[in-house]
């Protein structure tokens, strides 16, 4: 009898876990870990050695994944909020990163041409100006979506199309290069700290997000607007403002991601910087099992989704999948994951589990 | 008072318009359709070169249209044809879809000259084309690499956007070399450690190289198909504490001769940079002058001279003359 009880409770935990949104990204992560372990445990080796600047840093596949997944994880935070509140996605984040990055470099270059020997303004000033500009562009998207009720994908298409040209125009079509190594710290490593800075920035963003969601009503309001706009309004919320706010927050995420991106190589290339990152950010939200039509969201699942995407990219590099075949492999994995994490499929699965459980009870 | 100013302004405008019409009779009218200058450093240099050459002082009445979209480019071409330009200079965004508009141009007696990029259209539809030979660029680079006399060549090959002319040409040379070397039984010292596309993106190149470093595979050559990607690769080497360039453990090769890239070369951080000549205007002017004089062109396809630079021999003059 006790044996029987144990079995059902184990099944209960499993079905509970499966019903949890976080299950799919976790399972995907586990699967990638196992595949890489089978191919060779060296995947998880982390070494501690000096870089060419003479600083000791950690390196290895896990570090690389966390490092290069940072921008995506930060964007996933904002994209989750936009998705939940507006029931649509912002496809202009890549272009907006180009703009934010371009603005930061413009401020740093000042009037000293595009390749100044020294920075013409403190980095913090450049970053803040970049934040303001990115949030203004976010606000532009937000106004179109929230006040003019334009479909988010259509509204953000404007900036998606024009953004990279605007970014190029900000720097008179020149490609600025910052020579001072200090600027490279944000996308590289700070002397004395052995962990790549993007990882630290991403963790800070996550902590701030967690605090905001815990101690303010932002999460609750966003979800209620996404679930039912009318009843949210009847309950005294302002859905228009909440939607608008989500786009402005995404703008802030864009600025932070933009700083990391331009700092990585201390320069910018308008046509390729953060290319297609909007699709990866949306995918991260979808992999996290969040309904792309808005409503309830799970932030942790979205962020995990972002790292799953980076993990996948890194795994494909590791297995030396040829360039021609790379997108095809990625597409197959993505289709499987997205289908598995689709709310309808999850409901089916959990109801299947339930019926089996009740069936087991009847037999018992 | 207001009326007087208006009258004055009107007078100035008429005079200006009159002046222009007088001049326009002597000028050669050209319509130039190009890709957007923000596309790359190469394009920025290309656009600047054309805009500085086709000016009124040099005897041209030039109109420019920039777009990365083929349909928009075709619309601009139709507009230029209606405007009655004498020459249509074209760097097409896409190889296909140009037949109809070029036939229209021919019917109007407009001479079409292609530059930088070729199109899939009948040769009779254009007077000449000025292009880079990307395969030759690749071969020059590989010849240089072979001349380095390494015991073994373990190459990380970072490709551009798959299918682009630059990628096909530059990849082709390396692939051919590796195939050839591996056919001979005694001489199997060329290996591709990794071959991935970074789509001209520096940061993707950084990730690809980082991933090879993480895997622990040995390599001593980075063959990047443009400067940006070489820069990304070097960032990964720097983070891992691997020396590169002249006297370094890893040979770094790039393409496009950006000014900053040539400076890296001069500083000994990189080893080789291949040119992709963006200065087509002198060739174009030459062709137009010949056509104006009624001469026959010797060749329909004109391939530009291009150079490759070695870190040990590059001079400040080279950087000044060939950097873009």
């Amino acid at each position: 009898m006790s044996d029987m009880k144990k079995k059902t409770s184990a099944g209960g935990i499993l079905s509970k876990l499966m019903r949890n949104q976080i299950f799919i990204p976790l399972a995907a992560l586990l699967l990638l870990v196992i595949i890489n372990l089978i191919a060779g445990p060296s995947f998880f080796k982390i070494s501690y050695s000096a870089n060419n600047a003479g600083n000791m840093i950690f390196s290895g596949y896990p570090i690389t994944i966390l490092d290069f997944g940072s921008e995506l994880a930060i964007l996933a935070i904002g994209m989750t909020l936009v998705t939940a509140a507006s029931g649509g996605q912002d496809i202009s984040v890549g272009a907006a990163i180009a703009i934010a990055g371009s603005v930061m470099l413009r401020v740093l270059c000042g009037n000293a041409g595009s390749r100044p020997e020294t920075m013409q303004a403190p980095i913090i000033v450049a970053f803040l100006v970049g934040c303001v500009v990115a949030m203004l562009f976010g606000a532009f998207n937000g106004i179109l979506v929230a006040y003019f009720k334009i479909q988010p994908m259509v509204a953000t298409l404007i900036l998606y199309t024009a953004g990279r040209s605007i970014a190029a125009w900000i720097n008179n079509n020149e490609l600025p290069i910052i020579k001072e190594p200090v600027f490279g710290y944000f996308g590289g490593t700070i002397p004395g700290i052995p962990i790549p800075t993007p990882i630290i920035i991403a963790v800070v963003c996550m902590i701030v997000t967690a605090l905001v969601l815990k101690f303010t009503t932002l999460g609750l309001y966003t979800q209620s607007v996404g679930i039912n706009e009318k009843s949210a309004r009847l309950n005294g919320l302002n859905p228009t403002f909440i939607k608008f706010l989500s786009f402005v927050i995404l703008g802030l995420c864009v600025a932070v991601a933009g700083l990391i991106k331009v700092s990585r190589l201390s320069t910018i290339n308008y046509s390729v910087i953060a290319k297609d990152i909007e699709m990866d950010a949306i995918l991260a939200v979808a992999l996290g099992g969040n309904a792309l039509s808005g409503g309830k969201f799970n932030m942790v699942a979205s962020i995990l989704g972002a790292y799953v995407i980076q993990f996948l990219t890194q795994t494909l590099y590791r297995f030396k999948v040829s360039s021609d075949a790379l997108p095809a492999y990625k597409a197959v994995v993505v289709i499987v994951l997205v289908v598995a994490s689709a709310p309808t499929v999850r409901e089916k699965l959990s109801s299947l589990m339930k019926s089996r459980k009740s069936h087991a009870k009847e037999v018992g | 008072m207001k009326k007087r100013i208006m009258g004055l302004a009107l007078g100035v405008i008429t005079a200006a318009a009159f002046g222009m019409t007088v001049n326009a009779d002597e000028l050669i009218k050209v319509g130039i359709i190009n890709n957007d200058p923000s596309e790359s450093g190469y394009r920025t240099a290309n656009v600047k070169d054309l805009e500085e050459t086709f000016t009124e002082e040099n005897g041209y009445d030039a109109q420019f249209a920039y777009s990365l979209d083929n349909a928009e480019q075709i619309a601009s071409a139709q507009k230029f044809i209606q405007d009655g330009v004498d020459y249509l200079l074209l760097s097409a965004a896409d190889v296909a879809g140009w037949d109809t508009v070029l036939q229209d141009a021919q019917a109007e007696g407009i001479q079409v000259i292609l530059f930088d990029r070729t199109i899939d259209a009948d040769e009779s539809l254009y007077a000449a084309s000025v292009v880079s030979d990307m395969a030759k660029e690749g071969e020059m680079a590989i010849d240089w690499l072979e001349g380095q006399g390494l015991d073994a060549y373990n190459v990380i090959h970072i490709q551009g956007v798959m299918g682009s002319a630059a990628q096909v040409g530059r990849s082709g040379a390396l692939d051919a070399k590796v195939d050839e070397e591996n056919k001979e039984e005694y001489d199997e010292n060329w290996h591709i450690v990794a071959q991935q596309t970074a789509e001209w993106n520096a940061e993707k190149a950084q990730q690809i190289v980082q991933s090879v470093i993480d895997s622990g595979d040995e390599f001593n050559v980075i063959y990047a198909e443009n400067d940006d990607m070489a820069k990304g690769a070097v960032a990964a080497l720097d983070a891992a504490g691997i020396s590169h360039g002249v006297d370094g453990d890893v040979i770094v090769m790039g393409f496009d001769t950006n000014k900053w890239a040539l400076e890296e070369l001069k500083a000994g951080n990189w080893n080789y940079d291949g040119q992709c000549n963006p200065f087509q205007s002198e060739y174009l002017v030459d062709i137009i002058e010949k056509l104006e004089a009624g001469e026959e062109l010797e060749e329909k396809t004109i391939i530009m001279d291009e150079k490759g630079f070695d870190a040990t021999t590059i001079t400040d003059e080279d950087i000044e003359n060939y950097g873009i």
Side-chain angles (χ1 to χ4, degrees):
Chain A
M1 182 66 205
S2 73
D3 197 48
M4 187 72 207
K5 212 174 177 184
K6 226 181 211 169
K7 221 176 185 177
T8 35
S9 79
I13 289 169
L14 194 70
S15 80
K16 211 172 155 193
L17 195 71
M18 276 192 71
R19 249 177 296 150
N20 195 328
Q21 246 179 286
I22 214 158
F23 175 73
I24 293 294
L26 266 184
L29 216 53
L30 204 69
L31 196 68
L32 284 168
V33 167
I34 291 169
I35 289 172
N36 278 298
L37 262 180
I38 292 170
S42 70
F43 190 84
F44 298 95
K45 203 181 98 190
I46 293 179
S47 54
Y48 186 63
S49 58
N51 64 8
N52 273 357
N55 303 307
M56 297 301 285
I57 53 165
F58 288 113
S59 58
Y61 274 120
I63 301 282
T64 307
I65 291 166
L66 289 176
D67 183 359
F68 286 100
S70 305
E71 292 100 316
L72 199 53
I74 293 166
L75 287 178
I77 295 171
M79 191 65 83
T80 306
L81 288 177
V82 163
T83 301
S86 72
Q89 287 73 39
D90 183 341
I91 58 167
S92 70
V93 287
I97 284 181
I99 294 175
S102 187
V103 165
M104 288 175 207
L105 294 179
R106 185 83 191 86
V107 173
L108 291 176
C109 289
N111 292 321
S114 62
R115 318 249 152 104
E117 289 303 319
T118 55
M119 288 184 283
Q120 305 296 304
I123 294 171
I124 182 74
V125 172
F127 174 61
L128 289 178
V129 174
C131 283
V132 169
V133 171
M135 284 160 87
L136 280 177
F137 277 104
F140 170 75
N141 285 335
I143 287 169
L144 289 182
V145 171
Y147 293 89
F148 294 97
K149 314 253 180 262
I150 299 172
Q151 257 288 313
M153 226 169 251
V154 178
T156 54
L157 188 62
I158 300 169
L159 201 54
Y160 172 82
T161 326
R164 291 179 189 276
S165 298
I166 296 173
W169 169 76
I170 289 169
N171 272 305
N172 305 322
N173 253 319
E174 282 167 24
L175 303 171
I177 295 173
I178 305 293
K179 290 180 180 163
E180 280 190 67
V182 180
F183 185 65
Y185 288 174
F186 301 94
T189 46
I190 301 169
I193 298 176
I195 297 167
T197 322
I199 300 179
I200 300 170
I201 297 177
V203 169
V204 169
C205 288
M206 286 171 211
I207 292 171
V208 170
T209 310
L211 291 177
V212 167
L213 289 179
K214 188 158 174 65
F215 292 107
T216 71
T217 48
L218 179 75
L220 180 68
Y221 285 8
T222 305
Q223 301 195 47
S224 14
V225 168
I227 290 166
N228 191 332
E229 201 179 324
K230 262 189 195 143
S231 63
R233 188 166 39 241
L234 290 176
N235 280 297
L237 298 182
N238 183 349
T240 320
F241 179 71
I242 301 276
K243 280 188 197 172
F244 172 77
L245 188 65
S246 70
F247 277 92
V248 176
I249 294 173
L250 178 58
L252 186 61
C253 297
V254 160
V256 177
L259 174 69
I260 299 176
K261 276 260 185 271
V262 289
S263 168
R264 279 194 194 279
L265 295 156
S266 293
T267 184
I268 190 167
N269 185 326
Y270 310 107
S271 55
V272 298
I273 187 175
K275 195 154 183 273
D276 299 337
I277 205 170
E278 51 276 341
M279 295 307 152
D280 280 347
I282 295 168
L283 191 59
V285 176
L287 280 183
N290 297 297
L292 291 184
S293 49
K296 274 183 78 100
F297 69 84
N298 185 331
M299 192 60 86
V300 180
S302 285
I303 293 173
L304 271 178
Y307 286 113
V308 167
I309 294 169
Q310 190 60 38
F311 206 144
L312 176 63
T313 311
Q314 210 66 44
T315 306
L316 291 176
Y317 282 151
R318 188 194 183 199
F319 286 104
K320 307 217 162 90
V321 175
S322 84
S323 300
D324 306 305
L326 200 75
Y329 274 90
K330 216 170 169 178
V332 169
V333 179
V334 163
I335 290 168
V336 171
L337 286 176
V338 169
V339 167
S341 63
T344 43
V345 175
R346 272 191 296 122
E347 258 165 45
K348 271 265 163 60
L349 272 177
S350 66
S351 71
L352 207 73
M353 289 288 282
K354 228 181 239 166
S355 73
R356 201 182 263 177
K357 222 167 77 183
S358 62
H359 184 68
K361 245 180 209 162
E362 269 167 38
V363 171
Chain B
M1 182 66 191
K2 231 182 204 172
K3 247 183 194 168
R4 221 199 228 163
I5 292 175
M6 285 269 282
L8 203 68
L10 212 65
V12 169
I13 290 168
T14 343
F18 191 66
M20 263 168 62
T21 47
V22 167
N23 270 335
D25 284 342
E26 301 156 9
L27 298 173
I28 300 172
K29 279 184 91 174
V30 288
I32 299 175
I33 297 167
N34 205 341
N35 294 280
D36 197 81
S38 71
E39 182 207 41
S40 60
Y42 170 87
R43 190 63 58 189
T44 314
N46 178 245
V47 164
K48 204 172 151 207
D49 176 49
L50 290 167
E51 285 186 352
E52 279 171 2
T53 305
F54 290 96
T55 58
E56 264 183 56
E57 292 87 66
N58 292 343
Y60 295 98
D61 173 16
Q63 299 184 70
F64 298 88
Y66 302 111
S67 175
L68 292 171
D69 181 47
N70 213 37
E72 276 179 31
Q73 285 193 332
I74 290 174
S76 310
Q78 274 156 349
K79 185 184 154 286
F80 287 156
I81 291 170
Q82 279 169 11
D83 288 352
V85 294
D86 302 316
Y87 294 92
L88 192 64
L89 310 186
L90 171 65
S91 172
D94 200 335
V95 290
W98 286 93
D99 299 76
T100 320
V101 73
L102 293 192
Q103 276 158 8
D104 289 350
Q106 203 165 40
E108 297 285 325
I110 298 167
Q111 302 263 29
V112 177
I113 305 169
L114 308 180
F115 65 94
D116 175 39
R117 295 187 180 183
T118 53
I119 54 174
D120 284 344
D122 195 74
E123 267 202 17
S124 65
L125 289 173
Y126 52 86
S129 75
V130 180
V131 289
S132 293
D133 187 344
M134 308 284 188
K136 204 173 113 199
E137 289 171 18
E139 281 157 22
M140 273 173 71
I142 295 302
D143 285 348
W144 175 88
L145 184 57
E146 197 177 13
Q148 298 306 298
L150 303 183
D151 294 335
Y153 292 89
N154 296 315
V155 186
I156 298 182
H157 180 191
I158 304 169
Q159 299 168 296
V161 168
M162 299 304 283
S164 62
Q167 181 272 323
V168 172
R170 293 166 190 177
S171 292
L174 179 62
D175 285 345
K177 181 72 203 166
V178 172
D179 282 351
E180 181 199 316
E181 286 290 327
N182 289 346
K183 261 182 207 157
E184 300 165 25
E185 282 166 21
Y186 54 94
D187 194 17
E188 287 190 3
N189 57 355
W190 283 65
H191 300 284
I192 304 276
V193 180
Q195 184 172 48
Q196 290 287 346
T197 175
E199 297 169 330
W200 310 129
N201 189 334
E203 200 211 328
K204 271 196 187 157
Q206 189 183 1
Q207 282 189 49
I208 290 166
V209 175
Q210 182 66 54
S211 148
V212 176
I213 294 170
D214 289 342
S215 74
D217 291 346
E218 299 257 328
F219 62 94
N220 59 357
V221 177
I222 286 178
Y223 182 81
E225 288 175 3
N226 81 352
D227 287 338
D228 277 358
M229 299 192 296
K231 186 182 178 125
V234 166
L237 296 180
D238 280 336
I242 297 170
S243 66
H244 50 84
V246 180
D247 301 327
D249 293 337
V250 175
I251 287 179
V252 178
M253 304 173 74
F255 284 95
D256 287 355
T257 59
N258 284 291
K259 204 163 244 167
W260 56 262
L262 294 181
E263 280 162 6
E264 293 282 352
L265 217 58
K266 185 98 204 313
N269 295 329
W270 297 14
N271 301 72
Y272 177 90
D273 204 35
Q275 192 189 19
C276 186
N277 195 344
F279 307 121
Q280 287 120 357
S281 66
E282 54 170 319
Y283 295 85
L284 291 170
V285 167
D286 193 47
I287 291 168
I288 291 176
E289 277 170 0
K290 275 189 183 155
L291 290 173
E292 285 287 298
E295 286 176 39
E296 280 281 312
L297 296 174
E298 289 146 21
E299 282 171 313
K300 197 143 205 169
T301 306
I302 295 147
I303 293 166
M304 296 190 294
D305 290 334
E306 290 176 331
K307 290 174 179 295
F309 295 99
D310 184 314
T312 52
T313 55
I314 192 168
T315 61
D316 284 327
E317 264 173 36
D318 288 337
I319 298 178
E320 204 46 53
N321 292 336
Y322 298 103
I324 61 174

